[in-house]
Amino acid sequence: MIPKISTLGGYIFEYQKSVTNPTGFWSNIADSFYWRKKWDQALEWDFTKGHVKWYEGAKLNITENIFERHMFFRGQQPAIIWEPNDPSEAHRTLTYEALFLETKKFANVLLASGIKKGDRVAIYMPMVPELVISMLACARIGAIHSVTFAGFSAQSLSERLQDAGAKLLITSDGGFRGSKTIPIKQIADEAMGSCKCVSKAIVLRRTGENVPMLAGRDFWWHELMENSSVENAAETMDAEDPLFILYTSGSTGKPKGLVHSTAGYMVYSAYTFRNIFQYGDGDIYFCSADIGWITGHSYLVYGPLLAGATSLMFEGVPTWPDAGRFWEIIDKHQVNQFYTAPTAIRSLMALGMEWLESKNLSSLKVLGTVGEPINEAAWHWYHDHIGKNRCPIVDTWWQTETGGIMISPYAGITPTKPSYATLPVMGIQPMIVDPEGKQLMGNSVEGNLCIGYPWPGMARTIWGDHDRFVKTYFSTYPGLYFTGDGVKRDEDGYYRILGRVDDVINVSGHRLGTAEIENAINEHPLVDESAVVGFPHPIKGQGIYAYVVCPQFSTGGEEGIRNSIMLAVSHMIGPFARPDKIQIVSGLPKTRSGKIMRRILMKIAEGKTSEFGDTSTLLDPEIVNEIVKGSESIR
Ligand code: WT7
């Protein structure tokens, strides 16, 4: 059993120990896992080179820690409860034994398809149990999985397939999301068509639609599984072998494939899951995130299953068939811990209280949020109306790069404060630095958030580009990991995350690079250049505001050009990246050296048109007046 903190005194005492002796702490946690061979050295590191190794010399397979390790006592316990999009369709329950069986069968399918240890397998699927089976089967045979969220476009998928050099794609005919049916196979076909590396696709039948199957390339999941053996011995992996690649956006246009390790990720995701949520035997835990994002990887699949938990997985959306869908699921399955994003809370809050009527939420013990800062109003609504004033809220701050939760209350143990992520997880050493890199000591300080010491769950590199890894995370403040977030440490030493300080925006918990959206807009034949900034949005947290220069565009057709820019972005990235506001401008505010002054554009997007600060470096101040004027009709 993974050790669990149970009192505030215990937290304070253990935290001190964990930062004085992190390797001792993480060796002790690692002792509760199953190793084919234990490590020779707990940690080796050099942040200046972006070099981190945990548990070197150890041999293991992460799926043995999910299945073999739990089979004796938990074989008949539900591992996954799957709730379909449509409430009239039956839910499915897969016990640890059943999930194990499917995983071994599919592992054999992968082997028979020519996949070997170290090969990359791409997954582009709706939220169905076979997505989890696919990931675990990869881990079983030592293949590196790379899941792409099924809301991404063919273009984005294709980019990721090529960057990872994926040999095989696991996908489905289609997917159900609310009232929509997503043509997943059609998108996958387009993506595979434009990349050379993928030679085989395995297609799950989900919607039953007629989809073209390319002979010699496409194979049906159910046909391959039919005669697949249930015997499969797990591959032996080294501690530092990659477990998966997951792409995320950064401040430049090209998404980064963060690589996560086997042993460190295992220990960290399981430890944080059990401790932050205070999961106990028999509890039903529900994380509403999509597995296409890191939250789904760490806190729907790996963390819970490694901890022997029952993880509820939901295929659909919170507002279909009506805005009571989450609460109905919690009532129906007697959910004990519920983990969601502030954007979901805000949108449900806006739809009124009637959706809560007649829903029994008394099973809930712990509520969690992740992905973006939670505003106080949403925090209180969640606390009062969902948690009925008796469930602690864990506001968990972390990132794709960190692999697991970094700053968060331990549920019911750490006293909470609305909109504060509160205190660090064991072994995590947050540091606040000013723009010059000077560390700000003590309380009541504000600056950029860095982490001063390695933790087992951190990403090890960017796939195929270690230099970029070093440059992005370890060069801004040499010797420290730089998160890209601003933070405040208040008078009590509590942390409050203030949001990104780089060119990354967070729209409904989706992380997007402004450069990525600009690249998509600039693909439009009438567009010369563009600048994208975030602005405060009541539901989404941040909205997307695009300033677009299209000289050949004839006035009067603004609606038309806006729509076609929206379409271009949908096509290039995915519908979730569509700008909320598009303003056609004749030029952008630039410095004499040609740099776009985003600060000014952000103020205009926010409606604060008189607080531009120092504008002395502006090349053409007149353009600002024009943009301010034009912005009035955009609101
Ligand atoms: C960025 C990471 C971690 C899983 C989901 C997002 C923001 C995340 C919080 C929080 C305030 C938060 C940060 C971070 N963020 N959690 N509790 N409070 N901000 O992962 O897509 O890698 O995005 O999300 O800005 O840097 P991601």
Side-chain angles (χ1 to χ4, degrees):
M1 270 299 198
I2 301 156
K4 200 156 119 178
I5 295 289
S6 55
T7 61
L8 182 58
Y11 166 82
I12 293 167
F13 181 76
E14 278 287 329
Y15 180 74
Q16 281 315 323
K17 272 191 0 193
S18 75
V19 293
T20 321
N21 179 10
T23 52
F25 178 82
W26 291 116
S27 297
N28 181 38
I29 300 298
D31 274 337
S32 45
F33 290 83
Y34 169 69
W35 304 88
R36 290 198 180 176
K37 176 183 172 289
K38 283 220 175 173
W39 52 96
D40 304 319
Q41 193 183 2
L43 173 66
E44 187 197 305
W45 68 295
D46 179 354
F47 267 0
T48 60
K49 299 194 175 84
H51 172 84
V52 172
K53 286 181 171 181
W54 282 90
Y55 310 116
E56 264 271 270
K59 306 267 183 205
L60 74 157
N61 186 289
I62 195 168
T63 70
E64 286 187 335
N65 281 279
I66 290 174
F67 295 122
E68 278 89 342
R69 180 162 144 265
H70 291 139
M71 213 35 65
F72 192 77
F73 291 115
R74 301 189 192 277
Q76 301 316 310
Q77 180 198 312
I80 300 277
I81 298 174
W82 175 76
E83 179 64 30
N85 180 57
D86 184 340
S88 65
E89 190 184 335
H91 71 270
R92 280 167 68 186
T93 300
L94 286 97
T95 60
Y96 271 86
E97 192 174 43
L99 185 63
F100 188 21
L101 200 85
E102 296 297 306
T103 299
K104 286 186 289 186
K105 283 176 72 178
F106 198 63
N108 288 327
V109 165
L110 293 176
L111 290 172
S113 305
I115 300 300
K116 297 181 303 295
K117 178 176 180 171
D119 285 345
R120 274 78 61 211
V121 173
I123 304 177
Y124 187 69
M125 282 179 114
M127 284 284 286
V128 290
E130 286 77 6
L131 166 51
V132 180
I133 294 165
S134 299
M135 294 163 77
L136 298 178
C138 287
R140 186 87 182 162
I141 67 166
I144 303 168
H145 60 72
S146 173
V147 181
T148 296
F149 170 56
F152 273 110
S153 67
Q155 170 101 16
S156 296
L157 175 59
S158 173
E159 249 172 56
R160 287 160 173 74
L161 294 174
Q162 291 178 66
D163 187 83
K167 271 172 84 171
L168 172 84
L169 175 66
I170 308 169
T171 185
S172 74
D173 51 358
F176 298 119
R177 246 180 99 75
S179 59
K180 294 196 205 106
T181 305
I182 318 286
I184 294 190
K185 176 65 164 52
Q186 190 190 315
I187 301 169
D189 280 339
E190 198 184 322
M192 285 188 283
S194 61
C195 92
K196 291 196 187 71
C197 47
V198 176
S199 55
K200 206 170 225 185
I202 299 178
V203 187
L204 178 80
R205 190 169 273 158
R206 171 62 188 125
T207 57
E209 280 163 292
N210 225 336
V211 292
M213 296 288 279
L214 189 65
R217 188 194 69 184
D218 300 348
F219 299 86
W220 285 110
W221 173 293
H222 58 272
E223 288 176 5
L224 298 177
M225 283 290 264
E226 210 168 345
N227 298 314
S228 187
S229 158
V230 298
E231 300 300 326
N232 178 280
E235 182 68 55
T236 307
M237 305 302 288
D238 289 332
E240 284 292 325
D241 279 340
L243 176 65
F244 65 85
I245 305 172
L246 186 62
Y247 286 85
T248 189
S249 298
S251 39
T252 62
K254 196 170 172 272
K256 303 176 277 206
L258 273 315
V259 178
H260 280 283
S261 69
T262 299
Y265 178 82
M266 171 180 83
V267 171
Y268 198 74
S269 62
Y271 170 81
T272 46
F273 169 73
R274 191 162 146 77
N275 276 274
I276 304 296
F277 296 100
Q278 290 286 301
Y279 182 88
D281 260 349
D283 284 348
I284 311 285
Y285 161 89
F286 172 20
C287 166
S288 76
D290 194 286
I291 294 175
W293 311 108
I294 191 73
T295 306
H297 279 61
S298 300
Y299 298 110
L300 199 163
V301 181
Y302 286 109
L305 297 180
L306 286 160
T310 297
S311 182
L312 190 146
M313 146 178 211
F314 173 42
E315 182 182 32
V317 298
T319 48
W320 191 84
D322 62 50
R325 189 72 172 109
F326 275 171
W327 323 130
E328 177 191 88
I329 295 172
I330 291 169
D331 187 350
K332 175 175 169 190
H333 296 284
Q334 293 292 289
V335 169
N336 304 110
Q337 291 90 6
F338 176 55
Y339 192 27
T340 195
T343 188
I345 299 166
R346 286 191 299 263
S347 67
L348 295 173
M349 183 173 142
L351 292 169
M353 294 298 298
E354 62 192 280
W355 308 107
L356 280 164
E357 281 164 22
S358 79
K359 306 288 191 315
N360 183 352
L361 304 181
S362 62
S363 57
L364 285 172
K365 297 194 280 197
V366 173
L367 300 173
T369 84
V370 61
E372 41 173 330
I374 181 165
N375 51 308
E376 292 199 26
W379 194 97
H380 284 294
W381 187 83
Y382 200 33
H383 189 259
D384 298 353
H385 299 296
I386 306 305
K388 314 284 183 201
N389 285 312
R390 42 169 202 84
C391 302
I393 294 180
V394 291
D395 176 354
T396 63
W397 173 82
W398 58 296
Q399 312 178 291
T400 304
E401 293 84 345
T402 68
I405 296 168
M406 301 286 282
I407 303 181
S408 166
Y410 282 45
I413 293 165
T414 318
T416 57
K417 234 186 234 190
S419 81
Y420 278 76
T422 74
L423 298 173
V425 165
M426 293 299 145
I428 302 305
Q429 304 185 23
M431 288 175 180
I432 304 183
V433 293
D434 69 10
E436 281 71 51
K438 190 166 113 307
Q439 196 182 326
L440 305 174
M441 309 299 282
N443 291 343
S444 306
V445 289
E446 200 177 301
N448 290 344
L449 177 60
C450 292
I451 312 290
Y453 197 88
W455 62 100
M458 66 188 295
R460 299 298 195 258
T461 190
I462 290 174
W463 182 259
D465 198 349
H466 192 71
D467 284 348
R468 187 174 178 200
F469 185 65
V470 177
K471 207 164 155 255
T472 311
Y473 305 107
F474 300 98
S475 305
T476 318
Y477 304 110
L480 304 178
Y481 166 82
F482 176 44
T483 64
D485 279 315
V487 70
K488 163 177 149 182
R489 185 163 51 218
D490 78 355
E491 60 284 1
D492 299 322
Y494 267 38
Y495 292 89
R496 178 182 190 156
I497 308 298
L498 303 171
R500 301 289 307 196
V501 295
D502 54 7
D503 293 327
V504 168
I505 52 181
N506 194 325
V507 182
S508 301
H510 297 312
R511 174 167 159 186
L512 289 159
T514 52
E516 199 180 347
I517 307 171
E518 288 161 7
N519 289 349
I521 295 176
N522 298 348
E523 284 291 308
H524 191 286
L526 291 181
V527 172
D528 253 22
E529 67 176 330
S530 61
V532 166
V533 298
F535 69 96
H537 187 286
I539 305 285
K540 298 176 170 186
Q542 280 187 298
I544 303 172
Y545 197 122
Y547 299 88
V548 184
V549 183
C550 352
Q552 290 160 41
F553 141 86
S554 53
T555 40
E558 297 216 1
E559 238 6 79
I561 191 142
R562 282 203 192 103
N563 289 341
S564 63
I565 288 172
M566 298 275 188
L567 266 175
V569 175
S570 263
H571 187 75
M572 293 278 291
I573 307 174
F576 59 89
R578 275 195 303 241
D580 298 274
K581 295 178 181 180
I582 296 177
Q583 183 179 347
I584 311 294
V585 296
S586 68
L588 297 169
K590 288 188 181 165
T591 60
R592 279 173 244 277
S593 56
K595 211 168 160 319
I596 298 172
M597 292 186 77
R598 288 175 183 278
R599 185 169 48 84
I600 294 180
L601 295 176
M602 280 158 81
K603 288 287 181 203
I604 298 174
E606 215 182 315
K608 293 187 177 153
T609 50
S610 56
E611 304 172 15
F612 295 147
D614 179 15
T615 52
S616 59
T617 54
L618 259 181
L619 182 64
D620 174 13
E622 198 31 53
I623 200 77
V624 175
N625 297 333
E626 181 209 300
I627 297 176
V628 168
K629 224 160 142 250
S631 74
E632 281 151 19
S633 58
I634 300 295
R635 246 160 277 287

